[in-house]
Amino acid sequence: MRTMAGTRFVILTHCVASLFLLTVANGAIIRLNCDTVDDKCLLKNVFASEDDRFKEIRNERYQSIIEFFDCHIHTLPPIPYINKVKANAINLVRVEENTFSTIHRLDVSYNRLREISTKAFEYPEELLELNLNGNPTLKDFAFLSKLTGLRSLDMADMKLELELLDINTFAGMAELSTLNMSDNRITSIPVGMFAPLVGLTDLDLSRNSITKIASGTFAIATTHSYLRDGIYHQALNFDLSSNNVSIIENNAFLHASKVNLRNNKLIGIGQYAFDNQTALEHLDLSGNDQLKNFDFLHNLRALHYLDMSHMNFSFDGVPRNIFDDLDSLTTLDLSNNRILEIPIGIFAELQSLNFINLRHNSISHIEFGTFSMRKYDLIDEIDLSYNNIKELNFLVFVPLKYLKTLLLHGNKISYVNAKQLTRNKSLYNFGIQNSNVRCYDLIDLLGSLKLVLEPNEFISHLPNVDGIRCQP
């Protein structure tokens, strides 16, 4: 380095970015010349204080991407006509006026942002993706209302409270399809805030502190829904897992295809919480061990997947028609509950059911007709692993003409009647690991069935048949 007539030249060898510094007043004017690496401009080891300023980056040498790497800068330089800027984790504090001309994708995640100017973008409607993730010091979001062309917005891990946002923040974002607000401090959702997001497909509010879903909270009249068989179908997914939601009021959801409510504190869901024309296909209620009223299930005609695991659930006191209106249900997960017995006919109306998971309960007996269906018998897999079954008449499964997989791992069964079991001609997979079954019985099954193992539990150091421990 050498100084001459007030001008200081810095030559950084072995760096991708070349810097020219001209001292002015209390700071310096920094010129950035970037080298092309994998069709992008890579700026590396750039350090600039609050007082330093940049000259506009010239784009003759790169095509569409600028990436800052291992830098420490207070604000971004002026950036003209670019597809994407990746400026994450560079200790950025401010995005000033006239920083961008035309830009489509901007990543400023995990910085120390305090301000983004409402005039930072010359053509704000051109921005399609914005990642603000990990900027807990950013509290002024007035700039968002100008970004009417956004398709994806990530605001996760920002210590965000929705009270900080004007209720009309999203009013012009009809094209926004993905909004991530997970891992924040959201306790309530203003009714109507998300209503303008008619193009939304994914809303992630997981790992917040939301306590209630009020009527109209997710009344989003999506433009991509269509009517079929009297039901509106659309791809609109809500992730509300790991909150403190206790109540969901009637008409909370207008359209939804998937709702994840795992690990909340639900005690009540309104009978009409999901609009009766909503084509909800996937519902996860697992981990809500205080929920006892399931009347809302009767309105979910299009539901394909229902997870009621880890809910302290049993059939005691539950109406026998609990599942009667779930005509489209293909998967029912009741694992890790407190089910002692299964009422005959409880599944009789589930005409589309393919898989039922009952593992890790306390079931001791399976009666004839337990899995009988009134109209169609489509069950192809039953998992009764890790219950308290000691004896089992395998003829109870013979009427299930499409049953392919029967899992009984971890029970106390000591005898398997091969003749009974193999009378079901559709059965192909049989699981009986971690039980007291005789090796002789397993040998009898080898010619007819495939013995399936629990993952990573192949037994080789004890008496076994095909890796399944057995009694000689």
Side-chain angles (χ1 to χ4, degrees):
M1 180 182 299
R2 61 179 180 176
T3 302
M4 181 179 296
T7 303
R8 181 175 53 186
F9 295 92
V10 180
I11 300 176
L12 299 178
T13 59
H14 308 296
C15 293
V16 178
S18 300
L19 282 70
F20 173 86
L21 282 78
L22 175 64
T23 57
V24 293
N26 297 322
I29 296 177
I30 302 175
R31 180 184 298 160
L32 299 174
N33 297 311
C34 50
D35 290 342
T36 300
V37 177
D38 296 329
D39 294 326
K40 64 184 176 184
C41 163
L42 184 63
L43 298 170
K44 186 176 180 182
N45 296 343
V46 180
F47 298 90
S49 70
E50 181 177 1
D51 297 320
D52 294 333
R53 291 292 179 267
F54 297 95
K55 285 195 171 183
E56 187 178 89
I57 300 176
R58 308 302 298 176
N59 66 356
E60 293 92 344
R61 297 185 182 180
Y62 60 90
Q63 293 184 352
S64 62
I65 300 174
I66 293 177
E67 180 176 346
F68 292 83
F69 179 77
D70 196 20
C71 298
H72 189 297
I73 60 178
H74 189 271
T75 190
L76 290 173
I79 299 174
Y81 308 107
I82 193 74
N83 178 41
K84 180 179 180 179
V85 171
K86 185 174 175 60
N88 60 308
I90 60 172
N91 290 291
L92 194 65
V93 175
R94 182 176 291 110
V95 179
E96 297 181 339
E97 184 176 335
N98 298 323
T99 296
F100 302 102
S101 181
T102 295
I103 181 172
H104 299 310
R105 294 166 180 83
L106 175 60
D107 182 353
V108 286
S109 59
Y110 294 100
N111 282 292
R112 297 183 297 121
L113 278 171
R114 295 182 180 275
E115 178 190 354
I116 297 180
S117 171
T118 56
K119 297 181 179 180
F121 306 90
E122 184 179 359
Y123 300 102
E125 67 279 1
E126 297 287 335
L127 188 64
L128 303 178
E129 298 177 8
L130 176 59
N131 189 349
L132 299 171
N133 188 355
N135 283 285
T137 54
L138 186 60
K139 304 300 180 185
D140 185 354
F141 298 95
F143 67 93
L144 283 177
S145 62
K146 295 182 177 293
L147 307 179
T148 55
L150 277 181
R151 306 289 177 84
S152 175
L153 175 58
D154 192 336
M155 300 177 70
D157 196 17
M158 295 181 65
K159 298 182 179 179
L160 180 68
E161 302 171 25
L162 291 187
E163 290 79 2
L164 296 174
L165 273 67
D166 186 285
I167 196 169
N168 296 313
T169 295
F170 304 114
M173 296 187 187
E175 302 298 321
L176 190 69
S177 62
T178 301
L179 176 56
N180 184 0
M181 289 183 160
S182 62
D183 297 285
N184 281 301
R185 295 179 176 178
I186 300 171
T187 58
S188 62
I189 304 171
V191 174
M193 172 169 278
F194 298 124
L197 302 178
V198 294
L200 197 65
T201 60
D202 293 277
L203 176 56
D204 191 347
L205 290 163
S206 61
R207 296 179 298 279
N208 279 284
S209 301
I210 301 166
T211 57
K212 184 175 80 169
I213 310 298
S215 177
T217 297
F218 297 120
I220 304 172
T222 56
T223 55
H224 51 274
S225 61
Y226 60 94
L227 185 65
R228 188 181 70 197
D229 299 328
I231 299 175
Y232 283 97
H233 294 260
Q234 67 290 307
L236 180 50
N237 305 322
F238 295 93
D239 191 345
L240 292 155
S241 60
S242 301
N243 277 275
N244 297 321
V245 178
S246 60
I247 298 292
I248 301 179
E249 295 182 350
N250 285 331
N251 302 309
F253 295 85
L254 178 60
H255 294 307
S257 55
K258 180 178 180 179
V259 177
N260 185 353
L261 291 162
R262 176 189 294 267
N263 295 332
N264 276 278
K265 298 179 180 180
L266 284 168
I267 58 174
I269 298 179
Q271 184 174 357
Y272 302 102
F274 306 95
D275 186 278
N276 60 9
Q277 289 188 318
T278 294
L280 183 62
E281 297 180 353
H282 184 120
L283 179 60
D284 190 339
L285 298 171
S286 60
N288 288 281
D289 56 11
Q290 299 180 68
L291 187 61
K292 304 301 178 186
N293 190 324
F294 299 94
D295 288 346
F296 63 92
L297 290 177
H298 294 295
N299 293 309
L300 305 182
R301 297 164 48 199
L303 196 66
H304 285 50
Y305 177 96
L306 176 60
D307 191 337
M308 293 175 57
S309 64
H310 298 275
M311 289 185 65
N312 198 27
F313 176 83
S314 75
F315 288 110
D316 296 342
V318 173
R320 284 181 177 266
N321 67 347
I322 179 175
F323 302 126
D324 279 7
D325 295 298
L326 300 178
D327 299 342
S328 302
L329 194 70
T330 60
T331 299
L332 177 59
D333 190 344
L334 294 169
S335 64
N336 295 278
N337 280 303
R338 295 190 177 185
I339 300 173
L340 297 174
E341 58 181 63
I342 307 171
I344 296 176
I346 198 77
F347 306 127
E349 304 298 332
L350 297 178
Q351 60 187 24
S352 302
L353 192 64
N354 297 140
F355 171 49
I356 182 166
N357 187 354
L358 289 159
R359 64 164 49 203
H360 289 291
N361 278 284
S362 301
I363 301 166
S364 58
H365 177 68
I366 302 296
E367 188 54 83
F368 280 90
T370 297
F371 299 106
S372 294
M373 301 295 162
R374 184 183 301 277
K375 292 184 179 180
Y376 307 107
D377 166 23
L378 299 176
I379 295 181
D380 62 17
E381 181 174 350
I382 297 174
D383 191 344
L384 286 160
S385 302
Y386 302 98
N387 278 278
N388 294 328
I389 301 172
K390 296 180 180 179
E391 296 181 358
L392 185 59
N393 187 339
F394 289 94
L395 292 176
V396 302
F397 301 107
V398 172
L400 304 178
K401 55 183 176 293
Y402 294 107
L403 184 65
K404 296 179 182 177
T405 301
L406 177 61
L407 303 179
L408 293 165
H409 301 300
N411 281 284
K412 301 175 182 179
I413 298 171
S414 58
Y415 170 62
V416 175
N417 188 320
K419 290 183 179 180
Q420 289 183 355
L421 191 60
T422 55
R423 282 186 62 179
N424 188 317
K425 301 305 180 182
S426 64
L427 192 63
Y428 179 73
N429 301 308
F430 181 60
I432 193 72
Q433 199 167 25
N434 298 322
S435 66
N436 298 318
V437 69
R438 301 180 304 178
C439 299
Y440 174 84
D441 295 337
L442 296 183
I443 293 295
D444 276 357
L445 294 172
L446 283 179
S448 305
L449 300 175
K450 178 182 178 181
L451 300 179
V452 297
L453 302 174
E454 286 280 72
N456 304 315
E457 290 199 15
F458 184 91
I459 300 298
S460 59
H461 63 289
L462 296 169
N464 72 89
V465 173
D466 279 359
I468 298 174
R469 183 181 177 182
C470 53
Q471 301 300 321

